[in-house]
Amino acid sequence: MHDFIEEVLLTNEEIVAIAERIGKQISHDYAGKKPLLIGLLKGSVPFLAELMKHIDIEMEVDFMKVSSYSGVHSTGAVTITKDTSTPLVDRDVIIVEDIVDSGLTIQEIKNLLKDRKAKSIRVATLLDKPSGRTVPNLYPDYVGQEIPGKFVVGFGLDYDELYRNLPYVGVLKRSVYEK
Ligand code: IMP
């Protein structure tokens, strides 16, 4: 554990087990279909990479980049800064996220994908922070782990672009961002 981490919430082994569980579930739920996994950059990359290894049906992958956060607080406004290159009409889409907090990002992306006539839209997230939810009735379909309302980093999650490379998920010490 690094000295800027207060507590480890998920070890690498636990994350791999989560990816295996969700990968199996997706392979079962989408048997005979060809889902399109859309990873939200940059945070979903490590989880998406791990998850894909455990999906054993035909699937495709694409990416979108949205920005809603600055520092440790959501700004509320969601802007798309990189779009998918795959046509979405009639596709079974699975949005892959690192964490769902307020739910604003997922809500915006879901609305956009509906406008683009995706056939079905589900959400797979490594972490869920339900205490941060401001969007009512927003429940991710595949959740790795529910966590308390603390600011976490690692396995894709950052604080001002740092710590994405940690192989585990941990709570960042407040002293790092309350200077
Ligand atoms: P939402 O729109 O509030 O649900 O926020 C989702 C995005 O906020 C995630 O994709 C993360 O980029 C970021 N985020 C939310 N909570 C945390 C956290 O604890 N650590 C790092 N990033 C977070």
Side-chain angles (χ1 to χ4, degrees):
M1 180 167 116
H2 297 85
D3 60 3
F4 45 83
I5 295 294
E6 188 177 292
E7 180 194 355
V8 175
L9 290 188
L10 282 179
T11 64
N12 190 266
E13 291 70 24
E14 287 168 330
I15 296 169
V16 173
I18 284 169
E20 198 176 340
R21 167 171 62 80
I22 298 180
K24 270 192 191 150
Q25 190 65 51
I26 288 175
S27 307
H28 173 266
D29 294 350
Y30 289 83
K33 300 178 179 170
K34 189 171 61 180
L36 172 67
L37 271 65
I38 299 184
L40 301 190
L41 295 171
K42 303 170 190 172
S44 75
V45 169
F47 178 54
L48 175 62
E50 192 56 53
L51 179 63
M52 282 169 64
K53 295 185 211 166
H54 303 283
I55 296 179
D56 63 3
I57 54 168
E58 285 193 341
M59 54 150 285
E60 292 178 23
V61 65
D62 205 337
F63 294 94
M64 276 181 111
K65 188 167 193 293
V66 296
S67 57
S68 69
Y69 254 64
S70 168
V72 292
H73 298 294
S74 177
T75 58
V78 175
T79 332
I80 292 169
T81 54
K82 185 220 171 279
D83 211 337
T84 50
S85 49
T86 318
L88 303 179
V89 179
D90 268 346
R91 294 303 305 262
D92 292 302
V93 174
I94 304 172
I95 304 166
V96 181
E97 252 292 37
D98 50 1
I99 186 166
V100 179
D101 185 12
S102 69
L104 284 167
T105 308
I106 291 299
Q107 177 177 248
E108 291 287 313
I109 303 278
K110 274 185 150 180
N111 287 339
L112 181 81
L113 301 187
K114 271 182 210 157
D115 286 349
R116 294 185 182 174
K117 308 276 187 285
K119 188 179 183 181
S120 68
I121 306 165
R122 284 186 182 164
V123 177
T125 185
L126 173 60
L127 304 171
D128 188 12
K129 224 195 255 184
S131 60
R133 203 74 93 249
T134 57
V135 178
N137 302 319
L138 190 139
Y139 307 102
D141 303 273
Y142 305 99
V143 175
Q145 175 85 42
E146 268 194 21
I147 62 162
K150 294 182 174 175
F151 193 79
V152 295
V153 294
F155 218 81
L157 291 131
D158 74 307
Y159 167 62
D160 280 350
E161 294 303 326
L162 294 178
Y163 314 117
R164 293 192 197 276
N165 52 323
L166 304 185
Y168 58 87
V169 173
V171 178
L172 188 63
K173 281 188 180 161
R174 295 185 82 90
S175 56
V176 176
Y177 54 89
E178 284 183 351
K179 278 178 191 157

